[in-house]
Amino acid sequence: MTAARRPSPGSQSRDFWLYWSAGTSDALGTQASGLVLPLLLLGLGSSPGTVGVLASVSAIGGLLAGPPASVLADRRWRRGMMVGSALVAAGAMGAIAAAAAWGRPSLPLLCSAALVERVATACYEAAARGTLVTVVAPVHYPRAIARLEAGEQGALVAGPALGGLLFPLARWLPFLMDALSYVFSALCVRAIRADLNPHQKSEDSPPRFTAEFLAGLRFVRNESFLRFVLLWTAGVNGLLTALYYGAVFSIRGQGSGTASTGLVLALSGAAGLVGAAAAPRLARRIPAARIVIAASWTMVPVAAGLAFATHAWVYGLLLGSVSLTVPAVAVVLHSRAVLVTPDQLQSRVGTTLDTACGVASVLAPAAAGLLTDHLGSTRTALLCAAGLAVLAAYATATAARRFLPSDHDPDREPGSDNDPATDPNHDPALLSRPQPLEAGEPS
C-alpha cells in the first residue's frame, strides 16, 4: 500500500460540500424525473406492463454497468468518470425534455434515454464511492456520511413533490431540471481541488480487467466485517422493499388513491431526514454493534404491524419508524467499511456491496407482488417479519465480533467523552490489539 493521504484542513470542508452538493443535486433531479417518467409513458398510451418492463430493464442495466465501472474508477479515473457520466446523463434527460417539448416522443427514444441515464448514473456512483476518503479525514467519516444520508433523504422528500409540481405546468420541465442537475453535479466535481484518484504503486503492466474485478470480490469475502455488511444490508434492503410494495398493494386494494401512497412516501422520507440528522450523535454515544442489533429487532414488530394496518397514515408511521433508525445503521456500517478498505479498492468494494442491495431491490417488488397474489398482504408482511427476525438473530450473534474494538472507533475525536486518552477507566493494553489497516496506511 502507498502512503496515507489526508485532506488538508483548509480544503476538506470546501471539497466535501462540493461533493455533497453534487450528490444531492443529482438525487433531487433523479427523484423529480423518476416520479413523472411513468406518467409520461402512460399518457402516451403505454400499458402499465410496458412501464414496468422499462423500469426493470433500466435497473438491470445499472446493476450490470456498476461492477466494470468500479474497476475503471479504481484505475485512477474517478474524477473523469464522474464528470463524464454526469454529462452523459444530462444529455439523456435533455433529449427526453426536448422530445416532450417539441411533440410526441417515441417509445424507443424514451426507453433508450432512460437506459443511458441509468447506466451513466451507475458509472457516476461507482466512481463516487471511492471519493469520500480523499475529501474527508477518517475522524469525520460518520458525520460526513450522515450529511450525505440527509441529502439523499431530503431529495427523496422534495424531489417527487417538485416533479409533481412541474409536470402539470409542462411535461418536459422535470426532465430539463434533471438534466440541469447533472450539469451542476459535473461542475461541482470539477471544482473539487483534492486529487480524487487512488494512489497506488506503478506496475510494469496493469492487471487484467477480470483480475482487478475479482480482487474486490475477494477482499469482501476475506474481510469478516464486509461479509456481514453484504449479507445484512442485502437481506434487510430486499425485505423492506418488499414490505413497501406490499403496503402499496394493500392500500390500492383498500380503494385508496395516489394521495394515500404519497402520504406514505412523505412520512417515510421525513422520518428518514430526522434519522439522518440524529445519526452522528447516536453513532458517537452508542456502540456500533448495539445500534445494528437494536435497529434489526425494531424492524420485526414494525413488519408484523404492517400485516394488520388498515389506514395509509398507519402504514406511513410504521414505515417511517424504520426510516428513522436506518440512517444511524448506514452511518456506522458505511464508516467502518470505508475505514477497513484500501484506497485503491474503494470503488470496487463499495460497488460490490451496493450491487448486492440493488439485486435485492430489483427482485423484491416482483416477489412482493407474487406473494401478495398467492398469500395475501397479511401473510406476506408476516413472512417478511419472519425474515427480518432471522436477520436480527444473525446480527445479535455476529455483529459484536464484526466491528473494530470500541477504542478504535473512527468517529472518536481527541478530548471527547469516549476518547481513550481522557478515559480514566481505559486499559492501555487494549491499544495492542490488532486492527485492520486504514485506507492507504503503509503495510
Side-chain angles (χ1 to χ4, degrees):
M1 298 182 188
T2 59
R5 288 186 295 154
R6 293 291 179 267
S8 63
S11 64
Q12 71 176 46
S13 177
R14 173 188 178 277
D15 284 347
F16 170 75
W17 285 113
L18 286 169
Y19 175 64
W20 181 91
S21 298
T24 302
S25 172
D26 177 3
L28 182 65
T30 298
Q31 290 295 332
S33 66
L35 173 74
V36 300
L37 181 58
L39 300 179
L40 177 62
L41 288 166
L42 292 172
L44 294 172
S46 298
S47 67
T50 300
V51 175
V53 169
L54 172 59
S56 297
V57 169
S58 297
I60 293 172
L63 289 175
L64 294 177
S70 68
V71 175
L72 297 177
D74 281 338
R75 283 183 173 179
R76 303 172 55 83
W77 290 359
R78 287 177 187 162
R79 186 193 300 272
M81 182 175 292
M82 291 172 72
V83 173
S85 298
L87 294 178
V88 169
M93 288 296 101
I96 294 180
W102 290 340
R104 182 182 178 88
S106 65
L107 183 61
L109 171 63
L110 293 178
C111 294
S112 300
L115 180 59
V116 169
E117 187 267 347
R118 182 60 255 175
V119 170
T121 299
C123 294
Y124 178 95
E125 291 172 350
R129 290 185 189 101
T131 300
L132 184 68
V133 295
T134 66
V135 298
V136 177
V139 70
H140 297 308
Y141 285 168
R143 187 178 304 170
I145 291 169
R147 285 171 175 166
L148 293 171
E149 286 283 329
E152 291 182 2
Q153 291 293 335
L156 183 62
V157 174
L162 189 56
L165 178 66
L166 294 175
F167 189 71
L169 298 177
R171 61 182 186 178
W172 50 269
L173 272 178
F175 305 103
L176 177 62
M177 176 200 159
D178 194 11
L180 294 176
S181 74
Y182 280 120
V183 173
F184 179 77
S185 297
L187 293 174
C188 287
V189 173
R190 187 67 183 84
I192 294 175
R193 294 172 181 168
D195 180 8
L196 304 185
N197 297 322
H199 284 185
Q200 47 192 334
K201 293 183 295 184
S202 60
E203 301 177 2
D204 294 335
S205 59
R208 296 176 58 185
F209 189 92
T210 303
E212 289 185 87
F213 172 69
L214 293 177
L217 296 179
R218 283 196 300 270
F219 189 83
V220 173
R221 182 194 64 190
N222 295 332
E223 175 58 55
S224 62
F225 170 71
L226 295 178
R227 289 200 308 272
F228 170 79
V229 173
L230 186 147
L231 294 174
W232 188 90
T233 55
V236 167
N237 195 62
L239 289 170
L240 291 182
T241 302
L243 281 173
Y244 168 73
Y245 276 90
V248 171
F249 297 148
S250 181
I251 291 172
R252 295 283 184 173
Q254 295 167 10
S256 300
T258 305
S260 297
T261 305
L263 176 63
V264 173
L265 278 173
L267 289 173
S268 300
L273 194 57
V274 173
R281 180 169 296 183
L282 291 175
R284 287 196 299 269
R285 294 178 178 272
I286 303 175
R290 190 175 301 171
I291 290 177
V292 176
I293 293 171
S296 299
W297 285 110
T298 299
M299 296 176 192
V300 178
V302 170
L306 287 170
F308 304 101
T310 56
H311 298 286
W313 65 269
V314 177
Y315 286 108
L317 289 178
L318 289 173
L319 291 172
S321 66
V322 174
S323 300
L324 195 64
T325 60
V326 165
V329 181
V331 167
V332 296
L333 294 183
H334 191 179
S335 299
R336 292 167 189 275
V338 171
L339 188 69
V340 303
T341 303
D343 188 14
Q344 63 270 22
L345 288 174
Q346 288 284 339
S347 292
R348 277 168 284 175
V349 168
T351 299
T352 298
L353 299 178
D354 285 354
T355 298
C357 291
V359 171
S361 295
V362 169
L363 297 178
L370 292 173
L371 289 173
T372 301
D373 287 341
H374 290 85
L375 301 178
S377 59
T378 299
R379 291 182 179 178
T380 298
L382 291 176
L383 188 61
C384 290
L388 289 171
V390 171
L391 288 173
Y394 169 60
T396 302
T398 63
R401 300 198 308 269
R402 296 296 186 254
F403 289 92
L404 297 172
S406 60
D407 50 305
H408 296 307
D409 280 352
D411 54 337
R412 176 160 301 129
E413 301 182 21
S416 66
D417 293 340
N418 297 322
D419 182 20
T422 58
D423 183 358
N425 298 318
H426 174 66
D427 182 3
L430 293 175
L431 293 176
S432 62
R433 291 177 182 173
Q435 56 177 314
L437 289 175
E438 191 173 305
E441 182 177 333
S443 57

